[in-house]
Amino acid sequence: MIELRYFTENDFPQLMDWIKSPEFLLQWGGPMFQYPLDYEQLQDYVTDSNTEHASQFIYCVINKRTDTIVGHIALRNIDRTNKSARIGKVIVGDQTRGKGMGTTMMKEVLKIAFDELKLHKVSLGVFDFNEPAIRCYEKAGFKKDGLLRDHRKMNNEYWSLYEMSILDSEWQG
């Protein structure tokens, strides 16, 4: 159904097209990026990624039937000593939202984390109001570790963030 392919400069326009507001950029990318998302920021993002011993792998999610990009996901902060990593920069394209694509994407990246890299723990952060994403992550096996209250400021309000994780013993690849 899908495959993960390394994210390259050719894929920048699609990702930039999906990020339509400062609020959505913060949800997708955290404080790492400034709105509007541009080539220079994405060049910095992919620097030192997608090589054999890189600390991050950044992927486009490809629908194998249509050969189109339907999402984006990254496995970051790979710590081979402590056998941990963090999933981030998750987005499901406009036409594919609500069809189980997020869970499928998560399972594909968890296969890499647990089956290929032999990690022990994978974590992520998600804003507490993003209920569809929370459900998606729970379907993939993640559990809530705790809530970071008022973790990020957007305009005149603060957003709280759930920390979630999954251990290799919980992975049902």
Side-chain angles (χ1 to χ4, degrees), residues 125-139:
V126 58
F127 290 110
D128 66 342
F129 58 81
N130 193 346
E131 293 175 14
I134 293 167
R135 281 193 304 275
C136 164
Y137 302 148
E138 288 175 335
K139 281 183 197 171

Side-chain angles (χ1 to χ4, degrees), residues 31-45:
M32 178 177 189
F33 300 102
Q34 299 298 313
Y35 189 80
L37 189 59
D38 59 27
Y39 274 83
E40 186 176 329
Q41 293 179 81
L42 289 173
Q43 283 286 19
D44 288 345
Y45 171 49

Side-chain angles (χ1 to χ4, degrees), residues 30-152:
M32 178 177 189
F33 300 102
Q34 299 298 313
Y35 189 80
L37 189 59
D38 59 27
Y39 274 83
E40 186 176 329
Q41 293 179 81
L42 289 173
Q43 283 286 19
D44 288 345
Y45 171 49
V46 299
T47 299
D48 298 326
S49 64
N50 301 341
T51 60
E52 186 178 351
H53 297 290
S55 64
Q56 69 176 0
F57 297 114
I58 304 170
Y59 301 102
C60 277
V61 182
I62 308 295
N63 179 325
K64 290 202 290 194
R65 272 183 318 189
T66 62
D67 198 36
T68 57
I69 299 172
V70 295
H72 180 94
I73 194 166
L75 185 63
R76 309 186 72 229
N77 302 345
I78 299 168
D79 179 339
R80 288 170 173 81
T81 302
N82 292 298
K83 298 190 171 288
S84 65
R86 191 163 178 84
I87 292 176
K89 317 298 183 268
V90 179
I91 189 171
V92 176
D94 301 332
Q95 283 81 20
T96 4
R97 284 201 191 114
K99 299 178 181 173
M101 184 61 66
T103 303
T104 303
M105 290 167 46
M106 294 304 293
K107 289 181 178 179
E108 286 300 310
V109 85
L110 288 172
K111 280 183 197 174
I112 295 166
F114 292 125
D115 299 344
E116 293 178 28
L117 297 175
K118 307 295 185 200
L119 298 179
H120 171 68
K121 178 181 178 178
V122 177
S123 64
L124 59 80
V126 58
F127 290 110
D128 66 342
F129 58 81
N130 193 346
E131 293 175 14
I134 293 167
R135 281 193 304 275
C136 164
Y137 302 148
E138 288 175 335
K139 281 183 197 171
F142 283 83
K143 299 192 180 349
K144 290 178 183 168
D145 293 329
L147 181 68
L148 302 175
R149 298 177 310 140
D150 290 357
H151 189 65
R152 292 280 181 246

Side-chain angles (χ1 to χ4, degrees), residues 26 127-129 148-161:
L26 181 60
F127 290 110
D128 66 342
F129 58 81
L148 302 175
R149 298 177 310 140
D150 290 357
H151 189 65
R152 292 280 181 246
K153 187 173 191 285
M154 174 49 71
N155 300 320
N156 292 321
E157 65 180 338
Y158 286 92
W159 294 356
S160 297
L161 181 90

